[in-house]
Amino acid sequence: MVHAFSRPRSVPGPPVVAPGADHARPGRRPLGARDPRTRTALVTGASSGIGAAVARRLGDEDGWRLVLTGRDPVRLRQIADDTSATAFAADLTLPGADRQLTDFTLATAGPVDLLVAGAGVGWAGEFLDMPPHTIDEVLDINVLATLRLVRLLLPGMVAAGSGRVVLIGSLAGSVAVRDEAVYSAAKAAIGAFADSLRYELRGTGVGVTHVVPGVVDTPFFERRGAPYRRSRPRPVPPERVADAVRSAVVRGRDEVYVPSWLRLPCRVRGAAPGLYRRLAARFG
């Protein structure tokens, strides 16, 4: 699961972009001198976890011009320095932040060829104990901020007749997870959005990839205050998810499970939902 700690919701107000946006990164060539063989990738949630791993994976390859965004300006700067990327620290739930990020990306790196939407937060515990503001935050970051950003970037891809949107989901959205009701609902929404959008974009040259990781070794569990205690499934490193993202982009795949055996419980739930629910209730 892709995760970050769920913190108190920001007070509504003017959009705030954290210090550290690279408005003139040394060595960046002006748009007029862009290499046509180089494509632009925008990665959200890039300050840690899966987003950071994806940034590093793309940064290892030639041909990518990277723009990274996340809410932690210090960690984002470190990832950007490691990957020769441009950093734009922002909280995409704040009004206008998605537009600022889009305008910044177009001005510094050009039209976006690849969007990897990796920003996400989770919360563990019984739904009746979940603070209302945290419900809003989980939905805002995992769903609304992602949809708004896709809405801004998609017209350019459609006009160009090429591009790909990669949405990082979660197994929780495919089968639902106990004590993660709102997170499961948010990731289920991302999966449905990916399918529906893919139907709409058929024939445009723009692809949509839904990446479905299981348990991923990120800071989520320690930050949420409930460590992962199960012996199975064992957490996979975020680099494995990043490799799956890269492979899906290269091969144009619609849906990827990490690890791949996670397709099995999803298929069991689809074919025999009653049996799956009984097993899930017994074994968790």
Side-chain angles (χ1 to χ4, degrees):
M1 289 170 273
V2 55
H3 316 297
F5 181 56
S6 181
R7 59 180 173 77
R9 183 173 171 79
S10 302
V11 177
V16 177
V17 178
D22 272 343
H23 293 281
R25 185 177 180 81
R28 177 164 297 283
R29 64 175 65 187
L31 290 183
R34 286 180 60 203
D35 187 337
R37 296 169 298 180
T38 301
R39 294 172 294 169
T40 296
L42 172 59
V43 182
T44 73
S47 55
S48 67
I50 292 174
V54 169
R56 290 193 173 101
R57 184 65 181 85
L58 296 178
D60 287 340
E61 296 185 354
D62 293 329
W64 287 109
R65 182 185 298 104
L66 296 179
V67 177
L68 311 180
T69 188
R71 295 193 294 178
D72 188 319
V74 175
R75 290 189 301 183
L76 187 66
R77 164 59 56 204
Q78 294 172 346
I79 303 299
D81 288 344
D82 291 343
T83 57
S84 299
T86 299
F88 189 88
D91 182 345
L92 294 180
T93 67
L94 295 178
D98 51 349
R99 171 60 69 181
Q100 289 180 345
L101 173 61
T102 299
D103 291 345
F104 172 83
T105 302
L106 294 176
T108 59
V112 174
D113 302 284
L114 171 64
L115 168 64
V116 180
V121 295
W123 190 89
E126 294 188 4
F127 179 67
L128 292 179
D129 295 330
M130 191 172 186
H133 70 80
T134 307
I135 296 174
D136 293 343
E137 185 184 25
V138 170
L139 294 175
D140 282 353
I141 294 178
N142 289 288
V143 183
L144 296 180
T146 295
L147 268 58
R148 285 193 293 261
L149 186 59
V150 171
R151 179 63 183 84
L152 287 173
L153 295 174
L154 201 57
M157 294 184 181
V158 172
S162 65
R164 181 158 294 271
V165 174
V166 177
L167 303 171
I168 306 297
S170 170
L171 181 65
S174 299
V175 299
V177 175
R178 177 184 297 169
D179 291 336
E180 293 187 59
V182 177
Y183 180 76
S184 295
K187 289 303 184 179
I190 289 298
F193 174 65
D195 283 341
S196 182
L197 187 62
R198 194 179 300 115
Y199 300 147
E200 291 184 25
L201 294 175
R202 185 177 181 181
T204 65
V206 180
V208 179
T209 297
H210 181 215
V211 178
V212 186
V215 183
V216 182
D217 187 11
T218 70
F220 170 73
F221 296 103
E222 60 187 61
R223 291 177 178 176
R224 73 176 184 174
Y228 184 74
R229 294 191 175 93
R230 297 181 184 177
S231 59
R232 293 183 180 182
R234 297 183 62 181
V236 301
E239 291 75 17
R240 186 169 175 182
V241 182
D243 287 342
V245 169
R246 186 263 179 190
S247 178
V249 171
V250 170
R251 299 180 182 181
R253 299 181 64 182
D254 292 340
E255 193 165 57
V256 180
Y257 289 81
V258 187
S260 59
W261 64 262
L262 290 179
R263 286 183 180 274
L264 178 60
C266 295
R267 288 177 176 176
V268 171
R269 184 179 184 276
L275 172 62
Y276 180 85
R277 293 189 184 101
R278 289 193 295 270
L279 291 173
R282 180 175 180 181
F283 299 105

